Amino acid sequence: MWQAEVRVDLDAIEHNVRLLRSITRAAAPAGSDGAEVMAVVKGDGYGHGMLPAARAALRGGATWLGGCTVGEALRLRAAGITAPVLAWLMSPGVPLDPAVEARVDLTASSAEQLAEIVAAARRTGVPARLHLKLDTGLGRNGAPPSEWPALCEGAAKAQADGAVEVIGVWSHLACADEPDHPANDAQLQAFRDGLATAERCGLTPRYRHLANSAATLTRPDMHFDLVRTGIACYGLSPIPGLAVDLRPAMTVRARVALVKRVPAGQGVSYGHTYRTAKETTLALVPLGYADGVPRAASDRAPVRLGGANRLIAGRVCMDQIVLDCGDDPVAPGDVAVLFGPGDEGEPTADDWATAVDTINYEIVTRFGSARVPRVYSGQSAEPAEAAGSASHGSASVDQTAASAERAPHSAGGLA
């Protein structure tokens, strides 16, 4: 008998990716099959489990995966996934040889990063698969426009020397979740200018990619050759209120551990921020901030129990929350649903995001701790996944990939 679980519907992920692919096809000019889809599975698949989510996305028509870090990309390779995988966030000195040898696509946002990638390629004797990233206005990762020509020239020379193959040029949007924001058009123009610079340097990359989930859904002029879709793969919209047939994949639920009657004026949980207005029934739910429940959800976030949605009563604890159920009949073992797709009246991840003043991305990414197993459902779930063993059964793969990021420099060092 389970106590608490994160249920993930892999068929929903497959459906969402198939929908995204249909959107890029519909937006394509005549004679084109449309932009390919990269499913971003960083952050352990946005809390859904990287490996099951990646496999479901590939079944749905994704041809690329995005892993963010080298360790995430290597975890995908160690699991036998051969689809193209892009990594883009690398601090100086992170060992790159394993990624180059595993044919992981790496990103250079500076001349220094390019030098490290080239050095890894020369040590391994394997040309590195390279993407160049331009900062078109987000002000985060990517080469600033002032350094972009030199980065393109350096990449062109490295390609001519056989050290790299320039696969892509890309950038990332700052305000795509606001489709009418003027920054979107400004970044699109800056990206086009950057592509022109790359071409003048002799680079003709197969993949130009700019669109995230929001731009995939609302800006077909930003699709180019590849779209990078993250939150939409998991059934959540990056734009509140946008009508699109995405299916939320995650449900978080737990069985009530204890029920008791208490008098009016009873303080509940630490600090007594909540007191009962009358004699009532309290239900103890065994999920807390160690499991992913935001402490900011105290007295604010809804949970469905006994046919009604109820706000958490009092502060969220490390291991548990309390619900005030009034005179409704609830019993130990009843199922409390924190959030799900909303099909049966339960709160959604969007409801939780609104309650704690954050975004749906953060809500789902929080869940899936070591003591709350993920259980996978859907026709596309593999037997081990459906049994719930896949979420934490890949620890050895995780450790291998993580050790590659923590490993000391090789004798030759990194350039």
Side-chain angles (χ1 to χ4, degrees):
M1 179 69 72
W2 56 274
Q3 174 165 295
E5 66 178 13
V6 175
R7 296 193 65 84
V8 178
D9 181 357
L10 295 178
D11 285 354
I13 295 175
E14 185 175 339
H15 160 83
N16 296 330
V17 174
R18 187 172 290 112
L19 173 67
L20 295 166
R21 183 68 179 99
S22 72
I23 289 172
T24 66
R25 283 197 175 105
S32 169
D33 193 38
E36 296 180 38
V37 173
M38 175 190 294
V40 179
V41 294
K42 65 180 182 178
D44 205 9
Y46 287 49
H48 294 70
M50 172 183 277
L51 299 180
R55 294 187 181 108
L58 292 171
R59 285 190 291 267
T63 53
W64 282 76
L65 298 171
C68 189
T69 68
V70 169
E72 288 173 319
L74 289 176
R75 182 182 170 197
L76 293 166
R77 285 289 185 258
I81 293 174
T82 59
V85 176
L86 178 65
W88 59 87
L89 189 60
M90 299 167 292
S91 297
V94 169
L96 301 180
D97 296 22
V100 171
E101 292 175 324
R103 306 301 285 156
V104 169
D105 288 46
L106 298 173
T107 294
S109 293
S110 67
E112 292 78 12
Q113 288 182 334
L114 175 61
E116 291 203 34
I117 294 169
V118 168
R122 288 175 175 156
R123 282 193 301 269
T124 61
V126 179
R129 291 173 57 89
L130 178 66
H131 294 236
L132 302 177
K133 187 173 185 184
L134 170 65
D135 182 1
T136 55
L138 179 59
R140 201 174 63 176
N141 203 6
S146 61
E147 298 176 11
W148 181 247
L151 180 60
C152 289
E153 290 170 2
K157 182 180 185 303
Q159 181 165 259
D161 292 342
V164 305
E165 179 185 3
V166 179
I167 305 293
V169 168
W170 68 294
S171 188
H172 195 47
L173 297 164
C175 302
D177 56 342
E178 302 176 62
D180 296 327
H181 197 289
N184 295 317
D185 287 337
Q187 285 197 255
L188 176 58
Q189 185 57 54
F191 187 61
R192 293 188 186 279
D193 293 344
L195 291 173
T197 297
E199 185 174 351
R200 285 194 295 271
C201 292
L203 299 176
T204 55
R206 166 67 181 83
Y207 292 98
R208 304 160 299 163
H209 46 114
L210 177 64
N212 54 9
S213 287
T216 299
L217 295 172
T218 64
R219 293 293 301 258
D221 56 333
M222 293 185 177
H223 287 182
F224 290 94
D225 309 302
L226 178 68
V227 297
R228 304 182 311 275
T229 54
I231 197 66
C233 294
Y234 306 101
L236 300 175
S237 175
I239 303 174
L242 181 67
V244 61
D245 185 27
L246 296 170
R247 299 179 188 171
M250 181 184 289
T251 298
V252 177
R253 61 184 193 166
R255 294 186 183 274
V256 171
L258 178 72
V259 169
K260 59 185 176 184
R261 293 291 288 181
V262 299
Q266 172 69 55
V268 179
S269 194
Y270 292 122
H272 284 180
T273 62
Y274 182 89
R275 288 186 179 273
T276 58
K278 61 179 182 177
E279 182 182 355
T280 191
T281 297
L282 298 181
L284 186 67
V285 179
L287 281 171
Y289 57 76
D291 307 303
V293 181
R295 193 170 183 272
S298 302
D299 293 308
R300 299 172 66 182
V303 178
R304 190 165 187 83
L305 174 62
N309 291 346
R310 315 167 193 279
L311 295 184
I312 294 172
R315 286 184 181 157
V316 173
C317 305
M318 183 179 291
D319 317 295
Q320 51 206 290
I321 56 176
V322 179
L323 304 177
D324 185 341
C325 300
D327 296 324
D328 293 343
V330 294
D334 287 354
V335 176
V337 180
L338 275 65
F339 62 85
D343 295 339
E344 299 179 5
E346 75 276 13
T348 65
D350 288 318
D351 294 329
W352 270 66
T354 298
V356 302
D357 193 25
T358 186
I359 55 176
N360 51 23
Y361 300 66
E362 182 183 356
I363 297 300
V364 293
T365 305
R366 283 176 164 270
F367 287 90
S369 69
R371 64 179 179 179
V372 182
R374 294 192 190 98
V375 178
Y376 295 91
S377 64
Q379 293 182 354
S380 63
E382 297 177 4
E385 294 168 354
S389 62
S391 59
H392 307 296
S394 57
S396 62
V397 174
D398 288 338
Q399 291 162 4
T400 299
S403 67
E405 290 193 305
R406 297 192 301 265
H409 297 178
S410 63
L414 292 173

